[in-house]
Amino acid sequence: MAGSIYTTGGTVQAGGGIYLSRKADDELLQLCREGQFAYVLTSRQMGKSSLMVQTAERLEEEEITSVIIDLTKIGTTVTPEQWYLGILTEIDESLMLDTDIFDWWEEHNHLGVTQRLTRFFEEILLSEVEGRIVLFVDEIDTTLSLGFTDDFFIAIRYFYTARAQKEQLGRLSVVLIGVASPGDLIRDPQRTPFNVGRRVNLTDFSWEEAQGFVEGLRPALSGAVGEAFPEGIGGKGLALSGVEGEGAEEILRWVLQWTGGHPYLTQRLCQGVVESGRTQWSAAAVERLVEDLFFRGGVRNDNNLLFVRDMLTQRTPDGNGSVYEVLTTYGEIWRERELVLDEEQSLIKSHLKLAGVVRRDETKGSLHVSNGIYRQVFDEGWVKEHLPVNWVKRLQRARALIGTLAAVTIVALTFGTWAVSAQKKTDRALKSEKAALEDVKAQKARADDEKKRAEDNAKVALDNEQLAQDQAIEADKQAREAEKQAKRAQEQTVIAEQRRAEAQEATQRAEIARNAEAQQRQAAEAAQLAEAEQRTLAEAREEEANTQKTLAQAQTLIAQEQTILAQANGSKAFLLAKQPLQGLATAVTAWQTVQEENITDAEISLPANAALMQGVYNNKAFNLNNPQRQNNPYPRQGFREKNQLKDHSASVWSVAF
């Protein structure tokens, strides 16, 4: 829904939703600041990835380098080498390291993949990145389907324990995130379990922490109609006795009565409120919405409910638990007839907590169903429907029942014979009693035979069941061995394909190199020809430019000479027009040009000089064409220019100069 603040899939940051802090936020941030190893292992859709992204952003603000490694991007259908190299690739893409990780990986291929990983962290990562580094490894439950990741978690344990000897490892810390328990990470019983790091409990939203969801509800209603919460809905102790507060706050309270603050269920139900289009709400209306969203269509209606179902019926602890034990333990918690205490060492109870269907009451140390939606969906009827048959107990009960029935039959036959004999004549009583006793013995013998046959049948059935179990175990072993062989064959096939691809790639690179060399030779020859042509063209263009320059200079000189002659003639024209000042100025300009340009051509310089003399002395004798010019060495004095007062129409009374 556009504009919704609620997130029902993926991280809050990716979906543009609202992020609400919980106690775990400050706890995880402080552990990262201190360089502690930590893990957030809890059920799905509890906000683990959003917490991770939020913490990484806060660390960046404090200049602490953080790297997020999402193991789902690497996948599970890979070889160990591809998987470990995928981790290095995620780190390189985040930090843009100077080292070429692929070349480095190949240079160290004489080492095992785990040793290469640890050396990469020590020699490359910690040397190129300064300061503290926090690695967030998300979706670690994907490793549960891989058979080679025990070494990865052992490497993480090495980074933690080696801090005492290698000081630089103190700058590196790791946070593991996913749907798993610490005991799931290292499955080989011959190895030490994964026992490093501090657990961060990511709990449901409390009423105070969930207040940020109220803002998303306000635009969706005009008011809420008060109505008492129906008794018993949502589980014991969850009934709301009355209505308090504003409409949006009250709707959130009704929502939390059903979800218990579960992050996904709460936001899914709030989003349903907004998308419904209703403007008035009551507890009963919220209940109907819960039924539409989560109850109609059964568990298949919601991915979160599907996950819980699979955790209860399929993904049970291997070896130490079964579906029967998981469901019977959950049934005891659901009925609440007596407190079921939490036990950290119990794989069954830890599995139920990991499924998210039960939670721990910290005050009592007991386990309870997490919320009203889970309690309604996975009720006692659902448990009985999915509870597998325990044939051993059934055979034991059948054996006890057969013995009881045999004894009852003997007693009934005994009393029946005495009742018949009492009605007979007294004189035949002893004979009848003797016959009855013999008949009872015969009946008892038949009953003993029936009992023995029943016990034999039960034993045969038990033996058959044991045989079936042994055959099932053997078949399971063979299936696992076949799966291992198939996986090895697949890995060998992948390796063969890789080598074939590498050979083809090498052949292609060689062919490309040959083609490139030929192209380089052709390009060099073409470049030489082009260079020669360019030199010839440049020389021709330079010669043409010089010619154009010379022509331009000649044209410029001609233009200057013509200008000088025009100015000389113009000076004469001004003098004839009795404009001596203009004539003199024009002559001076012409003569200045002659001097500046150093013109020696007499046809140009003499007219300019004559115009200047004539303008200065205002004497026709200086005319070049006047024959009297040689006979008049003392020309008369030239004109005197007077100042002119222009644009003044009034009388002038005084002048200062």
Side-chain angles (χ1 to χ4, degrees):
M1 172 179 176
S4 175
I5 68 171
Y6 306 113
T7 302
T8 57
T11 63
V12 169
Q13 295 83 355
I18 183 174
Y19 184 84
L20 302 182
S21 297
R22 284 172 277 180
K23 180 181 177 182
D25 286 80
D26 294 333
E27 184 179 350
L28 180 59
L29 179 63
Q30 186 59 33
L31 291 175
C32 293
R33 286 170 176 165
E34 297 172 355
Q36 297 287 343
F37 281 47
Y39 54 88
V40 185
L41 305 179
T42 186
S43 180
R44 286 189 68 238
Q45 297 180 309
M46 287 292 292
K48 299 183 297 299
S49 297
S50 298
L51 169 65
M52 173 188 66
V53 173
Q54 181 75 3
T55 304
E57 291 176 352
R58 295 174 70 181
L59 290 174
E60 290 293 338
E61 294 174 358
E62 300 180 13
E63 297 184 353
I64 297 177
T65 302
S66 60
V67 179
I68 295 177
I69 303 173
D70 187 351
L71 295 183
T72 58
K73 293 176 63 177
I74 302 176
T76 56
T77 57
V78 292
T79 64
E81 182 156 346
Q82 291 172 331
W83 193 82
Y84 279 90
L85 183 57
I87 292 177
L88 269 62
T89 303
E90 292 294 303
I91 296 174
D92 181 55
E93 289 180 354
S94 177
L95 300 180
M96 302 296 290
L97 300 174
D98 295 333
T99 302
D100 188 316
I101 61 170
F102 300 102
D103 291 344
W104 185 93
W105 187 264
E106 287 299 324
E107 291 172 0
H108 295 78
N109 60 5
H110 58 283
L111 303 175
V113 290
T114 308
Q115 190 175 4
R116 273 187 272 182
L117 178 72
T118 55
R119 292 192 61 175
F120 173 83
F121 278 25
E122 295 182 50
E123 298 177 3
I124 305 301
L125 179 62
L126 290 173
S127 64
E128 291 194 17
V129 181
E130 298 179 354
R132 186 164 296 154
I133 306 171
V134 180
L135 297 181
F136 293 92
V137 185
D138 195 15
E139 303 289 352
I140 64 167
D141 42 301
T142 60
T143 64
L144 302 182
S145 61
L146 301 175
F148 52 80
T149 54
D150 281 4
D151 289 335
F152 172 71
F153 295 106
I154 290 174
I156 293 178
R157 189 172 61 198
Y158 160 76
F159 293 138
Y160 179 80
T161 56
R163 289 177 163 191
Q165 292 80 29
K166 299 182 179 181
E167 183 179 352
Q168 64 172 352
L169 287 177
R171 296 194 289 116
L172 176 66
S173 60
V174 180
V175 179
L176 302 179
I177 299 171
V179 183
S181 62
D184 294 333
L185 303 184
I186 299 179
R187 296 183 294 277
D188 188 348
Q190 303 298 323
R191 292 182 167 184
T192 305
F194 186 82
N195 53 1
V196 299
R198 297 270 296 275
R199 173 188 287 274
V200 177
N201 292 316
L202 189 59
T203 58
D204 294 330
F205 286 110
S206 65
W207 167 253
E208 292 75 16
E209 293 170 340
Q211 288 301 298
F213 292 140
V214 171
E215 293 303 318
L217 297 172
R218 294 190 191 280
L221 69 151
S222 60
V225 179
E227 179 179 323
F229 202 85
E231 182 66 30
I233 288 183
K236 295 182 179 180
L238 297 180
L240 185 65
S241 59
V243 177
E244 298 177 359
E246 298 297 330
E249 286 81 355
E250 199 58 41
I251 292 177
L252 180 62
R253 192 182 300 276
W254 290 327
V255 167
L256 294 182
Q257 295 287 352
W258 280 104
T259 67
H262 186 284
Y264 164 77
L265 296 177
T266 301
Q267 297 194 75
R268 180 69 185 93
L269 190 50
C270 286
Q271 188 179 54
V273 169
V274 176
E275 293 176 345
S276 68
R278 293 177 62 101
T279 57
Q280 293 195 355
W281 286 88
S282 65
V286 173
E287 179 186 355
R288 287 191 293 271
L289 181 59
V290 170
E291 184 176 353
D292 291 338
L293 292 178
F294 301 107
F295 299 161
R296 295 189 189 279
V299 176
R300 296 185 301 274
N301 199 37
D302 185 85
N303 288 332
N304 184 268
L305 299 181
L306 283 171
F307 166 76
V308 176
R309 181 203 66 181
D310 292 343
M311 291 291 284
L312 293 177
T313 60
Q314 297 179 22
R315 294 174 55 181
T316 55
D318 295 333
N320 296 302
S322 64
V323 175
Y324 183 84
E325 292 172 316
V326 169
L327 289 179
T328 52
T329 303
Y330 170 72
E332 293 174 3
I333 298 171
W334 187 92
R335 285 188 289 273
E336 295 188 351
R337 292 175 183 171
E338 57 183 17
L339 292 180
V340 179
L341 297 179
D342 186 17
E343 298 171 289
E344 289 294 336
Q345 68 274 17
S346 171
L347 291 179
I348 299 300
K349 294 176 181 178
S350 297
H351 182 78
L352 289 173
K353 290 186 292 183
L354 190 62
V357 72
V358 302
R359 59 177 174 80
R360 175 187 172 93
D361 186 338
E362 295 297 338
T363 59
K364 300 178 182 179
S366 56
L367 296 175
H368 303 275
V369 180
S370 296
N371 54 68
I373 293 176
Y374 288 166
R375 185 173 184 82
Q376 199 88 338
V377 174
F378 305 105
D379 58 6
E380 190 170 20
W382 184 91
V383 172
K384 291 180 179 179
E385 180 183 349
H386 292 81
L387 194 66
V389 176
N390 191 330
W391 290 106
V392 175
K393 289 188 176 181
R394 286 200 174 187
L395 287 173
Q396 291 173 350
R397 288 198 296 268
R399 184 181 299 171
L401 181 60
I402 290 172
T404 303
L405 289 175
V408 170
T409 301
I410 293 171
V411 173
L413 289 173
T414 302
F415 280 102
T417 303
W418 281 101
V420 172
S421 64
Q423 298 177 5
K424 294 181 178 180
K425 296 179 180 180
T426 304
D427 57 350
R428 298 175 60 186
L430 293 175
K431 183 187 263 188
S432 298
E433 181 180 359
K434 184 178 179 180
L437 288 174
E438 291 177 354
D439 186 56
V440 167
K441 290 180 181 180
Q443 293 289 342
K444 184 176 182 300
R446 286 195 296 271
D448 289 339
D449 292 339
E450 291 293 335
K451 179 180 178 182
K452 190 175 184 304
R453 280 197 297 271
E455 289 177 348
D456 292 341
N457 291 334
K459 184 179 180 181
V460 171
L462 188 59
D463 292 340
N464 290 336
E465 181 187 11
Q466 184 63 42
L467 179 61
Q469 290 179 350
D470 294 341
Q471 291 175 346
I473 292 172
E474 183 62 28
D476 186 54
K477 288 182 180 178
Q478 293 177 357
R480 284 199 297 268
E481 183 63 28
E483 184 179 355
K484 290 180 181 179
Q485 292 177 357
K487 187 176 292 185
R488 283 196 294 269
Q490 183 180 7
E491 292 176 356
Q492 292 173 356
T493 302
V494 171
I495 293 173
E497 288 292 337
Q498 289 177 341
R499 291 176 177 173
R500 190 158 48 246
E502 290 172 356
Q504 292 177 352
E505 186 178 355
T507 304
Q508 292 175 354
R509 284 200 298 268
E511 183 65 25
I512 291 172
R514 287 194 295 271
N515 294 337
E517 185 179 358
Q519 291 176 355
Q520 288 176 353
R521 286 197 301 270
Q522 294 175 356
E525 294 173 356
Q528 291 176 353
L529 293 175
E531 185 179 359
E533 292 177 356
Q534 289 295 331
R535 280 199 302 270
T536 303
L537 181 61
E539 291 173 355
R541 288 179 176 175
E542 183 179 2
E543 183 177 357
E544 182 180 358
N546 291 334
T547 303
Q548 292 294 332
K549 182 178 179 181
T550 303
L551 180 61
Q553 290 175 347
Q555 291 176 346
T556 300
L557 182 60
I558 293 172
Q560 288 177 346
E561 292 175 349
Q562 291 177 350
T563 300
I564 292 171
L565 292 177
Q567 289 174 341
N569 294 330
S571 175
K572 295 177 183 179
F574 280 123
L575 292 176
L576 293 175
K578 297 181 179 181
Q579 296 180 9
L581 180 61
Q582 289 85 347
L584 178 60
T586 303
V588 168
T589 300
W591 182 248
Q592 283 180 340
T593 303
V594 171
Q595 296 296 317
E596 291 174 355
E597 299 297 332
N598 195 22
I599 297 175
T600 57
D601 188 355
E603 293 182 359
I604 304 300
S605 60
L606 289 179
N609 182 264
L612 178 63
M613 294 296 111
Q614 191 172 6
V616 170
Y617 296 102
N618 195 12
N619 194 334
K620 295 180 180 180
F622 282 90
N623 193 317
L624 292 174
N625 298 321
N626 189 352
Q628 299 179 355
R629 179 174 179 272
Q630 303 294 333
N631 301 322
N632 192 10
Y634 303 103
R636 60 184 179 86
Q637 188 176 357
F639 68 88
R640 291 179 178 272
E641 177 63 21
K642 298 178 180 179
N643 290 336
Q644 299 178 4
L645 188 64
K646 297 180 179 180
D647 298 329
H648 190 83
S649 57
S651 302
V652 177
W653 298 100
S654 64
V655 176
F657 59 93

